[in-house]
């Protein structure tokens, strides 16, 4: 998928996503409901370093609170595995390098997955990871959903890397190795932390210390979800 300009990419993504989840009635409505009166889907973004425990906690949230879990990384890996995918090679290269895949690919995969569950609440894990992700989402999907908050798992690099290396013993992932993890953590600090800070300034971040045990972390996660309106 070669786009001449960022604008062309945005137009393409808009047309794809528009056909999936954003009928005109959704876009026109700025309130919590669509123009037809149906409530918009709820979204919680889940951010944190690679190995901070996002996927682990999302599994528990799904069981306890009935969200649909969409991991940007999982969707990209599934797309990469499709023999017919036009983007497979590109995704593979970005993942190995720990770099952020172009937003039109990630956002379209998320929108396609959301369209399969049009009335649900979504945990969107590992997104938005940079300014481009935020801009693409805001332009195309944002008006069609209610963003409840951003769940942020705070965990230092050493703990994240140790956990992800441990996961790498069985995950079969091409990026759970020391070299990729160093790059991934650098991308996280330079590109994703500014996004966490941006949402924090809007009062949307719910920060959780994820260095503790899975149960202790989940106890705090539960409090955050229980306080949800
Ligand atoms: P992420 O989705 O943020 O990359 P994962 O949820 O896949 O992270 O967790 C990475 C690894 O760390 C997994 O092997 C998981 O079992 C383990 N793990 C997750 N949370 C904890 C925790 N609180 N304490 C110890 N290990 C954890
Ligand atoms: P994760 O499974 O969240 O650890 O993500 C693994 C890799 O997938 C990342 O290092 C990126 O290369 C890619 N990726 C995950 N989420 C995104 C995203 N929101 N935007 C672009 N690339 C992503």
């Amino acid at each position: 998928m070669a786009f001449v300009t960022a604008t062309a990419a945005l137009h393409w993504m808009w047309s794809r996503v528009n056909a999936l989840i954003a009928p005109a009635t959704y876009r026109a409505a700025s309130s919590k409901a669509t123009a037809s009166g149906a409530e918009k889907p709820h979204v919680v973004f889940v951010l944190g370093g690679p190995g901070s425990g996002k996927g682990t906690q999302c599994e528990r949230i799904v069981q306890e609170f009935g969200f649909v879990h969409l991991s940007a990384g999982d969707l990209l890996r599934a797309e990469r595995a499709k023999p017919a995918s036009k983007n497979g090679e590109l995704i593979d290269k970005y993942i190995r390098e720990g770099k952020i895949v172009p937003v039109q690919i990630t956002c379209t995969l998320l929108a396609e997955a959301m369209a399969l569950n049009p009335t649900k609440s979504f945990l969107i894990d590992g997104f938005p990871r940079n300014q481009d992700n935020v801009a693409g989402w805001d332009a195309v999907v944002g008006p069609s959903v209610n963003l409840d908050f951003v769940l942020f798992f705070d965990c230092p690099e050493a703990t994240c890397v140790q956990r992800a290396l441990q996961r790498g013993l069985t995950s079969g992932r091409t990026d759970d190795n020391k070299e990729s993890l160093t790059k991934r953590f650098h991308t996280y600090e330079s590109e994703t932390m500014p996004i966490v800070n941006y949402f924090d300034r809007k009062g949307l971040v719910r920060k959780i210390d994820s260095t503790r045990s899975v149960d202790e972390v989940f106890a705090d996660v539960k409090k955050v979800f229980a306080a949800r309106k």
Side-chain angles (χ1 to χ4, degrees):
M1 191 189 310
F3 291 108
V4 180
T5 63
T7 314
L10 203 61
H11 276 292
W12 176 84
M13 183 168 72
W14 171 259
S15 63
R16 290 281 291 124
V17 174
N18 192 29
L20 288 164
I21 65 163
T25 47
Y26 272 35
R27 293 198 311 277
S30 59
S31 70
K32 284 182 180 261
T34 65
S36 64
E39 196 175 358
K40 295 178 188 178
H42 285 259
V43 164
V44 171
F45 289 142
V46 183
L47 295 175
S52 59
K54 301 182 294 295
T56 304
Q57 295 296 326
C58 283
E59 255 182 55
R60 296 238 180 153
I61 297 165
V62 167
Q63 283 164 13
E64 185 110 6
F65 298 100
F67 276 68
V68 172
H69 175 212
L70 300 178
S71 152
D74 285 350
L75 289 169
L76 288 164
R77 284 185 285 275
E79 180 65 18
R80 175 181 65 177
K82 288 181 191 160
S85 172
K86 292 190 301 261
N87 299 313
E89 266 182 45
L90 183 149
I91 294 172
D92 189 50
K93 186 162 166 280
Y94 274 73
I95 286 183
R96 280 177 198 274
E97 288 297 311
K99 291 200 302 200
I100 292 173
V101 174
V103 63
Q104 61 272 18
I105 297 176
T106 315
C107 223
T108 303
L109 291 173
L110 284 169
E112 283 172 351
M114 289 173 78
L116 297 175
N117 301 279
T119 59
K120 295 277 189 172
S121 298
F122 298 95
L123 283 175
I124 301 197
D125 164 4
F127 185 95
R129 260 174 147 105
N130 66 2
Q131 188 48 50
D132 226 28
N133 278 186
V134 173
W137 176 270
D138 283 352
V140 179
V141 186
S144 313
V145 301
N146 292 311
L147 175 61
D148 288 353
F149 53 84
V150 178
L151 191 59
F152 169 51
F153 291 113
D154 190 25
C155 195
E157 178 168 4
T159 308
C160 283
V161 170
Q162 183 199 25
R163 287 181 187 172
L165 286 175
Q166 187 67 30
R167 178 178 63 192
L169 297 177
T170 52
S171 68
R173 282 177 54 163
T174 54
D175 60 351
D176 277 346
N177 58 73
K178 190 81 184 77
E179 199 190 341
S180 292
L181 280 162
T182 303
K183 291 176 182 167
R184 288 164 69 192
F185 209 87
H186 178 259
T187 302
Y188 160 69
E189 283 191 319
S190 59
E191 299 195 44
T192 309
M193 274 315 294
I195 301 309
V196 173
N197 295 333
Y198 158 79
F199 284 121
D200 199 28
R201 287 193 293 275
K202 294 177 156 226
L204 283 169
V205 171
R206 307 290 180 268
K207 178 171 159 177
I208 293 186
D209 169 7
S210 68
T211 57
R212 299 162 299 154
S213 73
V214 173
D215 285 345
E216 284 171 309
V217 175
F218 190 59
D220 278 0
V221 168
K222 275 205 283 197
K223 286 183 205 156
V224 168
F225 279 83
R228 205 166 68 103
K229 279 174 241 125

